[in-house]
Amino acid sequence: MTGKIFKGKVFLLVTGASQGIGRKIAEVLGSTLESGSLVLLLARNAENLKGTADNMPKTLAVEYRSVDLSKATAEELRSIIDGALVKDSGADAASKFDEIVVVHNVGSIGDVTKFAVDMTDFDYWRQYYDLNVFSPAVLNGVFMNVFKGKNIKRHVINITSACGIQPFNSMGYYCSGKAAREMYFKVFAKENPDVNVLNYSPGPVDTEMLDTVTDNIVDPTTKEIFKDLKENERVLTTDQTVKKFLDILSSKKYESGDHVDYYDEL
């Protein structure tokens, strides 16, 4: 198990924490935090969020909130964060942390039954980008502003994908969304050199998202790529990818804003 990555009292926020990579990141990263740290878990499924919260170390204060991030306003997100802070630490709670960490994991694969030329529904585009691009950007701004002016170390992790830098047929929504989202965090890193920003690409992981692609993608070449990954047992477990994620954070051998893939050498 990786040792302590962050020091002192930490506020950790993880989105998409009800299942898959998000749940595993919350559980494993939470196990490295010092006693008295605060963890805030966000996702839509309250029951699954509770399951994640129940698996967290009892030495931590853990709050979870069921929220549709594609529809939440900046004011609502601020209220959720402020509520967790006040409940945990009372007045001027934001000053009581040594480090803050936000993991932007929430995301969806999008409609993989269409080629780019058929992606002509404005409403679908808006809904997809609301969840996958706009909500992480807005939440990130809100989270940073909560701690603005405080002498606190800040860490921002965006869960990205190789699809954000390499095109795949029938994955126009996912590829373009990941590319836009990652570029936002690269700009954020450039504008905020005092913040540690990591764009982590977890590789092909055994999740419901991977099953959706394998079962439903319309392009035969892309389908064969993902089918081959499964048949040749090259799909990663959440344990594997989260261990590498923690190793990357610990090594600090990347420049803030970098895209680091599971398969990259440390």
PDB file of all heavy atoms in Angstrom, residues 5 18 57 86 108 120 146 153 162 166 183 188 198 200 248 258:
ATOM      1  N   ILE A   5       0.466  10.414   0.980  1.00  0.00           N
ATOM      2  CA  ILE A   5       0.750  11.257  -0.174  1.00  0.00           C
ATOM      3  C   ILE A   5       0.555  12.720   0.185  1.00  0.00           C
ATOM      4  O   ILE A   5       1.324  13.590  -0.210  1.00  0.00           O
ATOM      5  CB  ILE A   5      -0.158  10.871  -1.360  1.00  0.00           C
ATOM      6  CG1 ILE A   5       0.117   9.429  -1.779  1.00  0.00           C
ATOM      7  CG2 ILE A   5       0.060  11.814  -2.547  1.00  0.00           C
ATOM      8  CD1 ILE A   5      -0.838   8.909  -2.819  1.00  0.00           C
ATOM      9  N   SER A  18     -19.642   6.591  -6.743  1.00  0.00           N
ATOM     10  CA  SER A  18     -20.571   5.525  -6.382  1.00  0.00           C
ATOM     11  C   SER A  18     -20.207   4.164  -6.966  1.00  0.00           C
ATOM     12  O   SER A  18     -20.749   3.141  -6.549  1.00  0.00           O
ATOM     13  CB  SER A  18     -21.993   5.894  -6.835  1.00  0.00           C
ATOM     14  OG  SER A  18     -22.045   6.044  -8.248  1.00  0.00           O
ATOM     15  N   PRO A  57     -12.173   4.637   5.877  1.00  0.00           N
ATOM     16  CA  PRO A  57     -11.653   4.504   7.241  1.00  0.00           C
ATOM     17  C   PRO A  57     -12.489   5.290   8.247  1.00  0.00           C
ATOM     18  O   PRO A  57     -12.939   6.407   7.954  1.00  0.00           O
ATOM     19  CB  PRO A  57     -10.234   5.092   7.132  1.00  0.00           C
ATOM     20  CG  PRO A  57      -9.863   4.921   5.700  1.00  0.00           C
ATOM     21  CD  PRO A  57     -11.132   5.111   4.928  1.00  0.00           C
ATOM     22  N   VAL A  86     -18.879  23.054   7.050  1.00  0.00           N
ATOM     23  CA  VAL A  86     -19.442  23.542   8.309  1.00  0.00           C
ATOM     24  C   VAL A  86     -19.809  22.387   9.228  1.00  0.00           C
ATOM     25  O   VAL A  86     -19.568  22.416  10.440  1.00  0.00           O
ATOM     26  CB  VAL A  86     -20.673  24.436   8.045  1.00  0.00           C
ATOM     27  CG1 VAL A  86     -21.383  24.769   9.346  1.00  0.00           C
ATOM     28  CG2 VAL A  86     -20.255  25.710   7.325  1.00  0.00           C
ATOM     29  N   SER A 108     -19.349   9.973 -18.710  1.00  0.00           N
ATOM     30  CA  SER A 108     -20.112   8.934 -19.411  1.00  0.00           C
ATOM     31  C   SER A 108     -19.518   8.738 -20.797  1.00  0.00           C
ATOM     32  O   SER A 108     -18.806   9.595 -21.317  1.00  0.00           O
ATOM     33  CB  SER A 108     -21.593   9.334 -19.522  1.00  0.00           C
ATOM     34  OG  SER A 108     -21.734  10.501 -20.304  1.00  0.00           O
ATOM     35  N   THR A 120     -25.996  14.822 -34.881  1.00  0.00           N
ATOM     36  CA  THR A 120     -26.607  16.101 -35.280  1.00  0.00           C
ATOM     37  C   THR A 120     -27.679  16.603 -34.318  1.00  0.00           C
ATOM     38  O   THR A 120     -28.404  17.546 -34.638  1.00  0.00           O
ATOM     39  CB  THR A 120     -27.233  15.951 -36.682  1.00  0.00           C
ATOM     40  OG1 THR A 120     -28.189  14.880 -36.668  1.00  0.00           O
ATOM     41  CG2 THR A 120     -26.164  15.668 -37.732  1.00  0.00           C
ATOM     42  N   VAL A 146     -13.673  28.393  -2.976  1.00  0.00           N
ATOM     43  CA  VAL A 146     -13.989  28.180  -1.556  1.00  0.00           C
ATOM     44  C   VAL A 146     -12.736  28.412  -0.707  1.00  0.00           C
ATOM     45  O   VAL A 146     -12.814  28.956   0.405  1.00  0.00           O
ATOM     46  CB  VAL A 146     -14.529  26.760  -1.321  1.00  0.00           C
ATOM     47  CG1 VAL A 146     -14.566  26.427   0.173  1.00  0.00           C
ATOM     48  CG2 VAL A 146     -15.918  26.616  -1.922  1.00  0.00           C
ATOM     49  N   LYS A 153      -2.197  23.856   0.345  1.00  0.00           N
ATOM     50  CA  LYS A 153      -1.728  23.188  -0.868  1.00  0.00           C
ATOM     51  C   LYS A 153      -2.925  22.621  -1.623  1.00  0.00           C
ATOM     52  O   LYS A 153      -3.804  21.996  -1.032  1.00  0.00           O
ATOM     53  CB  LYS A 153      -0.747  22.065  -0.525  1.00  0.00           C
ATOM     54  CG  LYS A 153       0.595  22.561  -0.008  1.00  0.00           C
ATOM     55  CD  LYS A 153       1.556  21.405   0.191  1.00  0.00           C
ATOM     56  CE  LYS A 153       2.918  21.904   0.647  1.00  0.00           C
ATOM     57  NZ  LYS A 153       3.871  20.781   0.854  1.00  0.00           N
ATOM     58  N   ALA A 162      -6.990   8.021 -23.043  1.00  0.00           N
ATOM     59  CA  ALA A 162      -6.228   8.059 -24.293  1.00  0.00           C
ATOM     60  C   ALA A 162      -7.109   8.565 -25.428  1.00  0.00           C
ATOM     61  O   ALA A 162      -6.615   9.105 -26.432  1.00  0.00           O
ATOM     62  CB  ALA A 162      -5.687   6.672 -24.614  1.00  0.00           C
ATOM     63  N   GLN A 166      -6.327  10.609 -28.885  1.00  0.00           N
ATOM     64  CA  GLN A 166      -6.328   9.719 -30.043  1.00  0.00           C
ATOM     65  C   GLN A 166      -7.768   9.442 -30.470  1.00  0.00           C
ATOM     66  O   GLN A 166      -8.583   9.023 -29.658  1.00  0.00           O
ATOM     67  CB  GLN A 166      -5.627   8.403 -29.704  1.00  0.00           C
ATOM     68  CG  GLN A 166      -5.599   7.399 -30.850  1.00  0.00           C
ATOM     69  CD  GLN A 166      -4.904   6.093 -30.463  1.00  0.00           C
ATOM     70  OE1 GLN A 166      -4.325   6.004 -29.386  1.00  0.00           O
ATOM     71  NE2 GLN A 166      -4.970   5.104 -31.337  1.00  0.00           N
ATOM     72  N   MET A 183      -8.093  19.857 -21.953  1.00  0.00           N
ATOM     73  CA  MET A 183      -7.514  21.147 -22.299  1.00  0.00           C
ATOM     74  C   MET A 183      -7.897  22.219 -21.280  1.00  0.00           C
ATOM     75  O   MET A 183      -7.091  23.100 -20.951  1.00  0.00           O
ATOM     76  CB  MET A 183      -7.934  21.572 -23.709  1.00  0.00           C
ATOM     77  CG  MET A 183      -7.287  22.875 -24.179  1.00  0.00           C
ATOM     78  SD  MET A 183      -5.473  22.895 -24.028  1.00  0.00           S
ATOM     79  CE  MET A 183      -5.024  21.715 -25.301  1.00  0.00           C
ATOM     80  N   PHE A 188      -6.033  25.633 -16.877  1.00  0.00           N
ATOM     81  CA  PHE A 188      -6.105  25.911 -15.445  1.00  0.00           C
ATOM     82  C   PHE A 188      -4.728  25.759 -14.797  1.00  0.00           C
ATOM     83  O   PHE A 188      -4.316  26.586 -13.974  1.00  0.00           O
ATOM     84  CB  PHE A 188      -7.113  24.974 -14.778  1.00  0.00           C
ATOM     85  CG  PHE A 188      -7.113  25.052 -13.284  1.00  0.00           C
ATOM     86  CD1 PHE A 188      -7.764  26.071 -12.622  1.00  0.00           C
ATOM     87  CD2 PHE A 188      -6.438  24.092 -12.530  1.00  0.00           C
ATOM     88  CE1 PHE A 188      -7.733  26.159 -11.230  1.00  0.00           C
ATOM     89  CE2 PHE A 188      -6.411  24.161 -11.150  1.00  0.00           C
ATOM     90  CZ  PHE A 188      -7.063  25.200 -10.492  1.00  0.00           C
ATOM     91  N   LEU A 198      -3.026  17.040 -12.339  1.00  0.00           N
ATOM     92  CA  LEU A 198      -2.697  15.803 -13.044  1.00  0.00           C
ATOM     93  C   LEU A 198      -3.875  15.349 -13.888  1.00  0.00           C
ATOM     94  O   LEU A 198      -4.996  15.221 -13.383  1.00  0.00           O
ATOM     95  CB  LEU A 198      -2.345  14.697 -12.038  1.00  0.00           C
ATOM     96  CG  LEU A 198      -2.187  13.273 -12.608  1.00  0.00           C
ATOM     97  CD1 LEU A 198      -1.015  13.195 -13.578  1.00  0.00           C
ATOM     98  CD2 LEU A 198      -2.032  12.253 -11.476  1.00  0.00           C
ATOM     99  N   TYR A 200      -4.935  12.156 -15.434  1.00  0.00           N
ATOM    100  CA  TYR A 200      -4.576  10.734 -15.384  1.00  0.00           C
ATOM    101  C   TYR A 200      -5.461   9.907 -16.298  1.00  0.00           C
ATOM    102  O   TYR A 200      -6.689   9.904 -16.187  1.00  0.00           O
ATOM    103  CB  TYR A 200      -4.680  10.189 -13.954  1.00  0.00           C
ATOM    104  CG  TYR A 200      -4.408   8.706 -13.875  1.00  0.00           C
ATOM    105  CD1 TYR A 200      -3.176   8.189 -14.279  1.00  0.00           C
ATOM    106  CD2 TYR A 200      -5.381   7.814 -13.424  1.00  0.00           C
ATOM    107  CE1 TYR A 200      -2.917   6.819 -14.236  1.00  0.00           C
ATOM    108  CE2 TYR A 200      -5.132   6.443 -13.363  1.00  0.00           C
ATOM    109  CZ  TYR A 200      -3.900   5.953 -13.778  1.00  0.00           C
ATOM    110  OH  TYR A 200      -3.648   4.601 -13.736  1.00  0.00           O
ATOM    111  N   ILE A 248       1.954   7.392  -9.253  1.00  0.00           N
ATOM    112  CA  ILE A 248       2.243   8.605 -10.025  1.00  0.00           C
ATOM    113  C   ILE A 248       2.191   9.831  -9.127  1.00  0.00           C
ATOM    114  O   ILE A 248       3.069  10.709  -9.172  1.00  0.00           O
ATOM    115  CB  ILE A 248       1.252   8.740 -11.201  1.00  0.00           C
ATOM    116  CG1 ILE A 248       1.507   7.659 -12.238  1.00  0.00           C
ATOM    117  CG2 ILE A 248       1.364  10.124 -11.849  1.00  0.00           C
ATOM    118  CD1 ILE A 248       0.401   7.508 -13.263  1.00  0.00           C
ATOM    119  N   ASP A 258       0.197  17.816 -16.958  1.00  0.00           N
ATOM    120  CA  ASP A 258       0.564  16.740 -17.879  1.00  0.00           C
ATOM    121  C   ASP A 258      -0.535  15.680 -17.984  1.00  0.00           C
ATOM    122  O   ASP A 258      -1.279  15.429 -17.038  1.00  0.00           O
ATOM    123  CB  ASP A 258       1.845  16.046 -17.422  1.00  0.00           C
ATOM    124  CG  ASP A 258       3.101  16.777 -17.850  1.00  0.00           C
ATOM    125  OD1 ASP A 258       2.978  17.785 -18.567  1.00  0.00           O
ATOM    126  OD2 ASP A 258       4.206  16.344 -17.446  1.00  0.00           O
TER     127      ASP A 258
END
